[in-house]
Amino acid sequence: MTNRKEKLRIGVLASGGGTNLQAIIDRSLDGSLDAEIAVVLSNNPDAGALERAAQKGIATRCINHREFGSREEFDRAMVAALQEAGVELVVLAGFMRIITETFLTAFPQRIINIHPALLPAFPGLHVQQQALDYGARFSGCTVHFVDGGVDTGPIIIQAVVPIIPGDNADRLAARILEQEHLIYPRAIQLFAEGRIKIEGRQVIITPPPPDVSGALVNPALNS
Ligand code: GRF
């Protein structure tokens, strides 16, 4: 990690099973991610993510959105919990709530999300099925900064996943998830190393990574 003595303190927000959280936990434990998970927050008391964190002795908090009168009130409670834990980067990992301006202004350019499609194609929900229904030949996953829109913020890293004959949403989702588990820790590491800068819609990475050359073609040219 460059220019930092301390590990980056991250707060992970998850509503569900938490396999992305698990990948982040595993990478921080094996030393390949210079980040410390300061807290895991969920809006869902039954989230598997809370259990995964607790098993590793990571602080958890459940803040149930149903107990709040408005999105803003809920977000204020989330922000307070994150600030209390000294969080520097907010990592949304299957967090199923819309973030309000209250949240965005508390962590400017410091909230990232993972989405299981190749944005800007297929924002929103049920996107693996959408990609199949559309007849796309590729989908994938995207880590991006969060802005005021739904899945619209500047893109940090993407992985491309081919759609194959006979695919269904579950099989495609599983192959995309494998890539999510690789690119999310990588995006956090780039942030931890201080290598990420946002210029308009562009995310500039310094020093620049090696060029990605070549193209994927599906179906293959020689098929
Ligand atoms: C992932 O597909 C992620 O891209 C989406 O929600 C899902 C969360 O999965 N935002 P998990 O809880 O990390 O297993």
Side-chain angles (χ1 to χ4, degrees):
M1 180 161 52
T2 55
N3 305 327
R4 288 181 64 94
K5 280 182 239 78
E6 305 285 326
K7 288 189 173 187
L8 176 75
R9 288 180 72 77
I10 64 173
V12 181
L13 274 54
S15 302
T19 65
N20 277 287
L21 166 68
Q22 190 66 54
I24 296 164
I25 292 174
D26 293 346
R27 296 292 77 76
S28 62
L29 291 180
D30 74 16
S32 55
L33 177 56
D34 295 322
E36 179 182 342
I37 304 174
V39 68
V40 171
L41 297 183
S42 185
N43 61 309
N44 171 15
D46 301 323
L50 290 172
E51 183 61 36
R52 288 177 192 270
Q55 270 172 15
K56 296 291 180 188
I58 297 167
T60 61
R61 280 207 35 203
C62 179
I63 301 179
N64 190 338
H65 63 279
R66 294 197 175 84
E67 292 167 7
F68 294 83
S70 69
R71 283 186 196 278
E72 281 71 23
E73 273 176 58
F74 170 68
D75 274 7
R76 271 197 290 277
M78 295 294 276
V79 166
L82 291 164
Q83 287 171 342
E84 220 167 90
V87 164
E88 300 165 283
L89 177 71
V90 179
V91 175
L92 309 186
F95 183 61
M96 303 305 285
R97 307 295 304 166
I98 303 239
I99 298 284
T100 66
E101 206 52 40
T102 303
F103 209 141
L104 289 169
T105 47
F107 291 94
Q109 301 195 332
R110 284 180 170 265
I111 308 174
I112 61 176
N113 181 45
I114 189 154
H115 180 74
L118 265 191
L119 292 171
F122 311 120
L125 295 175
H126 312 298
V127 294
Q128 297 90 351
Q129 189 62 52
Q130 281 189 53
L132 291 171
D133 291 347
Y134 195 89
R137 295 293 189 178
F138 291 102
S139 189
C141 45
T142 305
V143 179
H144 62 93
F145 283 98
V146 175
D147 65 8
V150 175
D151 303 321
T152 50
I155 292 172
I156 301 169
I157 186 169
Q158 294 186 300
V160 177
V161 176
I163 291 173
I164 54 183
D167 250 349
N168 62 33
D170 287 345
R171 278 199 292 267
L172 177 59
R175 295 204 314 286
I176 291 174
L177 207 49
E178 273 179 43
Q179 299 305 313
E180 295 185 35
H181 299 162
L182 300 176
I183 69 170
Y184 217 1
R186 182 65 195 143
I188 297 166
Q189 180 62 18
L190 288 170
F191 190 97
E193 290 176 359
R195 293 178 60 189
I196 289 182
K197 193 171 66 187
I198 304 178
E199 287 180 6
R201 277 219 57 85
Q202 318 297 322
V203 171
I204 312 293
I205 299 172
T206 349
D211 287 351
V212 178
S213 57
L216 295 172
V217 182
N218 182 22
L221 292 175
N222 59 4
S223 56

